[in-house]
Amino acid sequence: MRLKLKLRHLFTAVFLAYVMPVLNAQITNNKADNIKLFVSNMSLGDKAALCSGKDFWTTRPLEWSKIPSIYITDGPNGLRKSNITNGFAQDIVPATCFPTASALASSWNIKLVEEVGKAIGEECQENNVQIILGPGVNIKRSPLCGRNFEYYSEDPVLSGYLGAAWVRGVQSQGVGASLKHFACSNQESNRMTVNVIADKRTLHEIYLRPFEIIVKLEQPWSVMASYNRINGVFSCENSWLLKDVLRKQWGFKGFVVSDWGAVNNLPAAIKAGMNLQMPGGPVDRTIVDAYDRGRLSEKDLNQSVEDVLRITLKSDSLKKENFKYDREQHHRLARKAASDCIVLLKNEGSVLPISRDSNRKIGIIGSFAKKPRLMGGGSSMVNPTMVDVPYDEIKKIAGDNLLFSFSEGYPEKDTVDQRVIDKAVNLASGSDIVIIFAGLPENYETEGVDRLHLNLPASQNALISQVAIVQKNVIIVLFNGSPVTMPWLSEVEAVMLAGLSGQAIGGAIADVLFGDVNPSGKLAETYPLKLEDNPSYLNFPGEDQEVFYSERVFVGYRYYDMKNLETLFPFGYGLSYTSFGYNNLKLSSTSIKDTDSLLVTFRVGNIGERAGNEVVQLYILDYECTHQRPVKELKAFAKVELAPGESRQLGFVFSYEDFAFYNPVVNAWVVETGDFEILVGASSQDIRLMKTVHVDATKKWIAPLTRYSLIKEWTAHPIGRELIAPVLNGMARSFSGNQDITGNPVEMINRVIGDMPIIKLVGFSQGSFTMEMLNQMIIEANE
């Protein structure tokens, strides 16, 4: 062993002296063969060094080579780069604070999300950042997750296509996106250790689906492995997740980075398909030790290093030297985005938009009017380049015709101060219209901590109810990244969800309040009437560091539909200052094969008096399936801009995956023959058009038979039924005392013991049916 090591060291020395300089010149071409050869001849120490970062934010360079260090840093609602690299004591560079993912999702605007991603990529280029950590596409399983503001939706299709647009925008600028947090990072409580227990179908249809969409469409440069365990295995060490699913099934070509501090066993993680441990520091010697002891193969180690080097060289080749972005232009984009994200939840008596008539008194109440919440707390916090203050922007856009007054309304701490409320009530009683700015304080929504309830602070609820007693025209503007209850909803005229929409939210709110922008946002998650209605209520955040996803695929609107539960506001809901009509739904065929494409067309028109944008949503309903399916599932959407009186024909193509569900028995997406309803609507509960299509399955998915397959599964199997028939015939005759049996003995036995595993027949047959016979039947059935 020692002789082999000495010979290897001698070879390495010769290689470095004579061969490596040639390869070093070629590797910058970033060709796979060059990188593979380069890595295969690197020293073990250098390979081990490249498995973890240099420090908190950068990868380790190879000093003797042209392999550079790359900078990886936080996002995703804007660049969050530190001027120093000593952990959390950071001086953050100014960057545009765009709407958080929870707000951006309310736009349902793929083109807009791509624009935002492009702008963030530009800011990364100016600040010499090669990879930004985002987007976060984890599903909003519970509205209590403290990090929901950083995620898009409760729906995997909406999350997937918006996330893909963000990645496309960022990477168009030669900057990599790191898709996170892979996977099932759906809570902050015990996030570093919690064991998520979920079945394969639930994982593939809900929690893995947005990642799959993004990987297949855009190939992000990196994927971040999460802290938590999935069915007992930490994500960083989960070869099923990182190798079988991410790379083999989806074809991922980038590298997997750990969430910061997520690695528990680096050699095991490298073996499982994780590439880069962050944060960095001294070289982790466990790699060398595991290699020398045969616990980590050279193939796995080389592959890991190759994946990192490929992206490192790619990012280095795409750097834009001395690049500068336009701060004013990015702020204008942030305002456009924030306006597009605002959701109008209620507008009784058309109190909105506010008229600019002379001498009207506008009362503005609430601390958020002068100190707005722009984003959530934690690692995604951006240092904004500038901030639009709502109170100032409202006065600016309203002009000189209106009279304004302000009252704090509630203290920053969550305490009911009646004196502060009384001042606000007094202001409200003397106003023509009152705008109350309310929402969740920062400590309610932050990384590392889950919420305890869905309520606004008691001081805000008390304020709104008391103001509504003396003033009819009350408009509520909400700052929150996750659902809240609204006990005062029936007492106010209008409610506007501003969300956590970044540094330009003040101007965006003013634009919408006065009608310069027609609100077009729609909810990307359901607002329940109460927390107890949420499907995860009994299993969030779990106990004893385990959480059961017992609601399975029935997350969000899928659950509320199935239970026929009333909600405060349904998924996909949002009002406008105009109205839209839907008509003329057509299908390219009423009967197709699952290998065919289906073209769905319809017209949507603006039947109001203002220009506006409508979000159209297409769902599919499966009438009959061997597995339980939701009442409806979102499959496509689009945002269309229409002038008054204008209509437009829209077309969508549905294919195999739109009709399929994930069958865990055969481990594949499966389409079953039957009728499907194509549903077109303005929300999940506002379906305007529907038509039926019949789909014929061309592939018959047959689950393999085992010794534990039920007898009824054998009798339903095309080959198994022939093999088991003599066995059941013999049993039937035995039960009848060898007398002739009228009817079908196989059917008779199947009715009686159909739910019994076939292996039980070995014991019950008293030797007439042996294990050897069963094993042979299994081989023949599965050939």
Side-chain angles (χ1 to χ4, degrees), residues 427-463:
L427 179 148
S429 63
S431 302
D432 295 309
I433 294 177
V434 169
I435 308 171
I436 298 178
F437 287 78
L440 298 176
E442 182 180 309
N443 64 347
Y444 276 47
E445 295 180 291
T446 186
E447 179 181 354
V449 181
D450 286 326
R451 295 166 65 190
L452 300 177
H453 53 73
L454 298 186
N455 303 326
L456 292 175
S459 57
Q460 296 185 25
N461 280 332
L463 166 72

Side-chain angles (χ1 to χ4, degrees), residues 116-401:
V116 169
K118 178 176 179 290
I120 291 174
E122 290 177 349
E123 299 193 19
C124 288
Q125 282 286 6
E126 176 174 316
N127 288 281
N128 195 27
V129 168
Q130 284 72 55
I131 294 180
I132 187 166
L133 302 175
V137 295
N138 294 105
I139 294 298
K140 297 185 180 185
R141 176 177 177 253
S142 167
L144 294 181
C145 176
R147 209 168 180 178
N148 273 353
F149 63 84
E150 201 172 324
Y151 304 141
Y152 287 107
S153 176
E154 67 188 28
D155 182 82
V157 169
L158 182 59
S159 297
Y161 285 107
L162 292 180
W166 193 93
V167 171
R168 185 163 57 251
V170 168
Q171 296 191 167
S172 72
Q173 299 307 299
V175 174
S178 186
L179 187 61
K180 65 180 188 180
H181 306 86
F182 192 58
C184 295
S185 181
N186 309 111
Q187 62 187 70
E188 294 301 286
S189 301
N190 300 319
R191 65 173 174 160
M192 293 189 176
T193 55
V194 69
N195 182 27
V196 170
I197 300 175
D199 64 87
K200 279 190 177 181
R201 183 185 170 202
T202 297
L203 290 173
H204 279 280
E205 288 194 22
I206 303 296
Y207 298 98
L208 300 182
R209 183 66 177 137
F211 292 93
E212 179 183 9
I213 291 171
I214 297 169
V215 167
K216 288 183 174 179
L217 285 179
E218 301 302 333
Q219 279 294 337
W221 292 9
S222 173
V223 166
M224 179 195 286
S226 58
Y227 291 113
N228 53 279
R229 292 173 287 168
I230 300 175
N231 294 324
V233 183
F234 283 104
S235 295
C236 287
E237 301 168 21
N238 197 320
S239 61
W240 171 80
L241 183 71
L242 302 182
K243 283 188 174 180
D244 296 347
V245 175
L246 180 62
R247 295 194 184 277
K248 293 178 182 178
Q249 291 184 25
W250 301 348
F252 176 62
K253 304 299 183 185
F255 71 83
V256 176
V257 61
S258 73
D259 202 342
W260 268 231
V263 173
N264 297 290
N265 183 323
L266 184 54
I270 296 298
K271 184 177 181 180
M274 200 278 303
N275 302 95
L276 178 65
Q277 174 182 249
M278 292 297 285
V283 175
D284 193 318
R285 304 305 300 178
T286 60
I287 290 288
V288 175
D289 182 65
Y291 179 86
D292 287 343
R293 293 174 180 268
R295 296 172 182 169
L296 179 63
S297 70
E298 185 171 28
K299 179 181 178 182
D300 284 336
L301 181 57
N302 285 1
Q303 185 63 60
S304 181
V305 176
E306 288 171 25
D307 292 337
V308 174
L309 286 186
R310 190 180 307 109
I311 297 301
T312 299
L313 294 170
K314 180 177 183 177
S315 67
D316 190 57
S317 70
L318 295 173
K319 283 185 180 179
K320 299 178 182 179
E321 299 296 336
N322 303 314
F323 180 85
K324 298 292 181 183
Y325 72 91
D326 186 332
R327 281 155 176 72
E328 292 292 338
Q329 190 274 329
H330 281 201
H331 184 72
R332 289 192 295 272
L333 174 60
R335 182 164 179 164
K336 172 188 172 184
S339 299
D340 214 44
C341 297
I342 289 174
V343 184
L344 184 59
L345 297 174
K346 183 178 181 181
N347 191 20
E348 295 291 331
S350 298
V351 66
L352 290 175
I354 299 172
S355 169
R356 291 182 171 90
D357 291 345
S358 299
N359 299 321
R360 298 183 78 199
K361 297 178 180 179
I362 309 294
I364 297 180
I365 300 173
S367 298
F368 284 139
K370 293 192 174 182
K371 297 179 181 179
R373 269 194 75 205
L374 311 180
M375 58 194 131
S379 62
S380 65
M381 294 190 73
V382 175
N383 179 15
T385 57
M386 60 189 83
V387 175
D388 287 349
V389 177
Y391 181 79
D392 297 338
E393 295 298 321
I394 289 171
K395 291 183 67 176
K396 185 189 303 182
I397 201 170
D400 299 327
N401 292 333

Side-chain angles (χ1 to χ4, degrees), residues 89 109 112 114 121 169 421 476 508 553 637 650 666 669 675 678 681 703 774:
N109 191 332
L112 174 69
E114 184 175 350
I421 293 177
I476 308 296
V553 299
F637 59 92
L650 303 177
V666 297
W669 289 90
D675 289 340
I678 307 298
L774 174 56

